[in-house]
Amino acid sequence: MTQLMGRPILEVPGELGARPVLADLLTGVRTALLGLAVVAVPVLGLWVVTPYADDGAAGAVRLAGVIWLLGHGAPVLRGPLDAPLTVTPLLLGLLAVGQLHRAGARVAVRHRLRPRWSGPLAVWSGYCAVAVAVVAQCAGTGPFRARALPDVLVVALLAAVATAAGARTARRVPERGRTAGEPWPAPWSASWQVLRRRALDRVPGWARFDGGAAAVRTAALAGGAGLLAAGAAVVAVAAVLDAVTGAGHRATALAQGPAAAAGLLLLSVVLLPNAVLWGTAYALGPGFAAGTGTLVAPAGTVLGPLPELPLFALVAEPGAGGWRLLACLLPPLAGVVPAVLLGRAAAGGARVPVGPGRADRYSDDPDGLDDLDGRDEPAAWHPVGTVGAVLAAALLTGAAVAALGWLSGGALAGGRMAELGPVPWRTGLAAAGWIAVVAVPGALLTRARVLGGGQGSAAGGSRTGYARRGALLLRARAYAVVLRLGRSADRIEADRAVVDRVEAGRVEVDRVAARGAAGADRAH
């Protein structure tokens, strides 16, 4: 019993575990079936409790397969006229991506002696095998029909990207005889570093933000999270207003019985991430479409007849914007955190080598003092480089918002409902613009405050009295003389810079004294 309880549930026991390729293939199959079960169980449960179902169990299973394909972004045809249904339930998509990512990472670290991509490739093959079976089962005649080639290609592409990303993250997982964080050997990494270094060498020093790639990514993630929070706030306010005014009775009237009410509730939960992205587009200004020729934006709303769904009941009433323009105050708040992050990074987040006697205008140690210990000095970015880092983060955020906006929209049917969701390029430009407008001056101000704060505190320390300052200068010059005795001629300029820094109150006297004592010992 202890051995059975200690065995991982997701591992393949017995002889299959000794065959890595087959075990990884079954891991992919199991991952796909788990996601399919998450969809099929509620659908079959609603079919069971429905007193007068229009279709049998085969139809319910077919509907579950169609919803599973839609969660991967695969297009589906609806009705006898083959109307397109391309709205992706993003909650199901996130579930599929998370499962594939975890499966790819798990098989990548299971057997290190195999080729690097053999495990993830087997997982991808097993997942695609289940997708082919689902598409074949949903390709016949019915209320919903899958298209064989496009659906399989879309599922295969999503599975490949998610599995490869999971295998890549496995590079950070430690193993026996190998330190954590040590990357796997990649044949293209050296070439990529050479090309990257050559490209950076052509960029002027004042336009660079050396070592700031991680800060830019973090700032872009922070900006995107802030925009999503703004969209969630818009949806929450709309839901509260709908509950207070009672405008949601139209969708509630369709809920004839507990089964219909549960179905509408599950549909709303599955589409909730889509609604959040639509709320983000609304707060950014461009808004989104709720049908062909419609627009839902803070400046005004133009609507037509809408489907009787709970989420569509949250859409603003037609007319001028008015107080709804207050939603545009939320996106600027999303640029505050990126401004602070990039401003602090610009004030000294990067580390570049500073040689002896090198005076870097934008370095915290212009005399090369820290290089005497063989260390690198944290250097501040030029203001132009700071602006470049902010614009890079804004462009990353805009690209991500545009991609998510494209995924959240689509067609719900033919005719007037063939256009739903935000326009991707408008939403992306608005997101990048809001982040840049707020983060550029914010980052520059944060950078100036951090750099000026250090100088201000040092200057404040030097104004403690003429007697203390005079003693400090005398001791500094004495220690500088001792330093010269133990140094060669090429270090005199560096020692002179040390004296200048001590006179400015930027170096502790005890630190100079320790180095002077060491120089005196070497002189004797």
Side-chain angles (χ1 to χ4, degrees):
M1 180 62 70
T2 303
Q3 295 178 355
L4 292 176
M5 295 181 64
R7 184 189 298 276
I9 297 177
L10 296 179
E11 293 292 336
V12 180
E15 297 181 357
L16 295 180
R19 301 178 181 179
V21 176
L22 183 57
D24 296 338
L25 186 68
L26 292 179
T27 299
V29 173
R30 183 173 57 250
T31 302
L33 292 179
L34 181 60
L36 188 60
V38 170
V39 180
V41 169
V43 172
L44 290 176
L46 291 176
W47 174 79
V48 169
V49 300
T50 302
Y52 302 103
D54 297 334
D55 206 345
V61 173
R62 180 190 182 93
L63 178 60
V66 168
I67 296 175
W68 185 76
L69 292 175
L70 282 174
H72 292 77
V76 175
L77 300 179
R78 174 187 176 188
L81 299 179
D82 290 341
L85 179 59
T86 58
V87 175
T88 303
L90 292 182
L91 185 61
L92 299 180
L94 292 175
L95 176 63
V97 170
Q99 290 177 335
L100 286 167
H101 188 278
R102 182 181 178 185
R106 187 169 63 248
V107 300
V109 300
R110 185 181 295 167
H111 302 288
R112 299 290 188 176
L113 298 179
R114 292 179 295 153
R116 178 180 177 184
W117 295 106
S118 62
L121 183 59
V123 172
W124 175 81
S125 301
Y127 198 92
C128 291
V130 176
V132 169
V134 173
V135 170
Q137 198 270 339
C138 300
T141 59
F144 297 97
R145 184 169 63 89
R147 294 189 293 176
L149 185 58
D151 290 353
V152 172
L153 289 178
V154 170
V155 175
L157 179 61
L158 178 67
V161 173
T163 307
R168 179 178 175 81
T169 58
R171 297 170 59 184
R172 298 297 180 182
V173 178
E175 65 166 331
R176 295 180 183 177
R178 180 170 162 270
T179 59
E182 181 182 352
W184 288 357
W188 60 83
S189 60
S191 302
W192 166 252
Q193 293 295 335
V194 172
L195 294 176
R196 179 174 175 271
R197 190 176 297 109
R198 290 179 179 177
L200 290 178
D201 289 342
R202 298 182 180 181
V203 180
W206 48 266
R208 299 181 186 177
F209 42 95
D210 296 329
V216 170
R217 288 194 299 267
T218 304
L221 289 175
L227 294 177
L228 291 180
V234 170
V235 174
V237 171
V240 171
L241 293 178
D242 179 74
V244 171
T245 59
H249 68 278
R250 297 171 297 174
T252 307
L254 292 179
Q256 302 296 332
L264 288 176
L265 179 61
L266 288 176
L267 182 61
S268 300
V269 171
V270 168
L271 293 177
L272 187 58
N274 301 62
V276 170
L277 290 172
W278 293 9
T280 300
Y282 184 90
L284 288 171
F288 58 92
T292 304
T294 64
L295 178 64
V296 182
T301 301
V302 180
L303 285 179
L306 295 176
E308 297 288 348
L309 295 177
L311 291 180
F312 284 115
L314 305 182
V315 176
E317 295 294 332
W323 62 270
R324 299 185 184 94
L325 291 173
L326 295 176
C328 295
L329 298 178
L330 297 176
L333 299 179
V336 174
V337 175
V340 174
L341 292 176
L342 292 176
R344 290 183 176 275
R351 300 191 71 84
V352 295
V354 179
R358 171 182 169 185
D360 194 345
R361 178 182 176 184
Y362 300 101
S363 172
D364 291 336
D365 187 21
D367 52 24
L369 175 63
D370 286 342
D371 185 69
L372 301 180
D373 291 338
R375 295 194 302 265
D376 292 338
E377 173 67 17
W381 301 340
H382 192 278
V384 177
T386 304
V387 173
V390 173
L391 294 180
L395 290 177
L396 285 178
T397 304
V401 170
L404 291 176
W406 175 72
L407 290 175
S408 67
L412 192 60
R416 199 183 65 82
M417 299 307 296
E419 184 179 352
L420 290 174
V423 180
W425 67 270
R426 292 180 182 176
T427 307
L429 284 179
W434 279 116
I435 296 296
V437 166
V438 176
V440 167
L444 292 177
L445 289 175
T446 303
R447 174 187 178 277
R449 183 173 182 179
V450 172
L451 294 178
Q455 296 175 359
S457 62
S462 64
R463 292 193 297 267
T464 57
Y466 288 103
R468 182 178 178 184
R469 181 160 46 181
L472 179 65
L473 294 179
L474 291 176
R475 292 178 64 184
R477 294 187 183 279
Y479 292 137
V481 172
V482 176
L483 283 172
R484 289 197 187 98
L485 294 177
R487 302 274 181 181
S488 58
D490 60 344
R491 307 293 277 181
I492 290 188
E493 287 296 327
D495 295 336
R496 187 175 301 168
V498 171
V499 175
D500 294 339
R501 284 196 66 181
V502 174
E503 290 178 348
R506 298 179 62 189
V507 175
E508 296 85 359
V509 176
D510 295 337
R511 183 179 177 185
V512 181
R515 294 190 178 184
D521 294 338
R522 288 195 296 270
H524 291 294

